[in-house]
Amino acid sequence: MDPTVRSARDLAGQLLDPDFVEVGASGRRWSYEEMLAALPDMDGAAEHGPRYEFSDLRGAVPAPGVVHLTYETTMRGERARRSSLWRTGHDGTWRMYYHQATVVPALGRRGANERST
């Protein structure tokens, strides 16, 4: 989420696993190389531009050496629910292996499968 990391390929590359895959909020599938190439031009990469605000961060350990994080982000009033899997490498470094984002519809615009509880 830090613009300094998002705008620097070498720093972002230290956090992403070489087998990284993302399914973005748009539905696009991103590989490690595609993400590293695109990150500097994405929202949240400019030091003085808009930044992601995150909330409701939760973590679980589904297996040794794996952490599953879930959280929500907001930028320019748009919300997304996010889920990522992090794993440790042979060197003990944690890297994001998988990430997925889902847009949260604006209030009053529920999807066909979304119900109020």
Side-chain angles (χ1 to χ4, degrees):
M1 296 290 171
D2 185 325
T4 304
V5 174
R6 294 177 72 84
S7 63
R9 182 184 176 93
D10 59 329
L11 294 176
Q14 293 174 27
L15 292 178
L16 299 181
D17 190 274
D19 294 327
F20 173 81
V21 173
E22 174 174 329
V23 177
S26 67
R28 179 179 173 174
R29 184 181 173 100
W30 298 83
S31 70
Y32 174 83
E33 286 297 330
E34 291 169 329
M35 183 56 67
L36 289 180
L39 263 175
D41 297 322
M42 292 179 146
D43 285 342
E47 188 64 39
H48 299 292
R51 295 181 106 168
Y52 285 102
E53 297 176 32
F54 66 94
S55 61
D56 202 22
L57 179 66
R58 297 173 189 209
V61 180
V66 177
V67 172
H68 178 213
L69 295 179
T70 59
Y71 55 101
E72 287 195 17
T73 59
T74 304
M75 180 186 281
R76 295 187 193 115
E78 295 180 10
R79 290 179 32 212
R81 291 191 179 105
R82 300 183 181 270
S83 175
S84 61
L85 292 171
W86 292 72
R87 68 182 182 184
T88 56
H90 297 295
D91 62 357
T93 304
W94 286 94
R95 292 190 172 97
M96 188 186 307
Y97 171 73
Y98 180 81
H99 182 77
Q100 184 160 354
T102 304
V103 172
V104 177
L107 291 176
R109 291 186 2 213
R110 293 193 192 281
N113 294 325
E114 190 173 354
R115 292 181 287 186
S116 176
T117 53

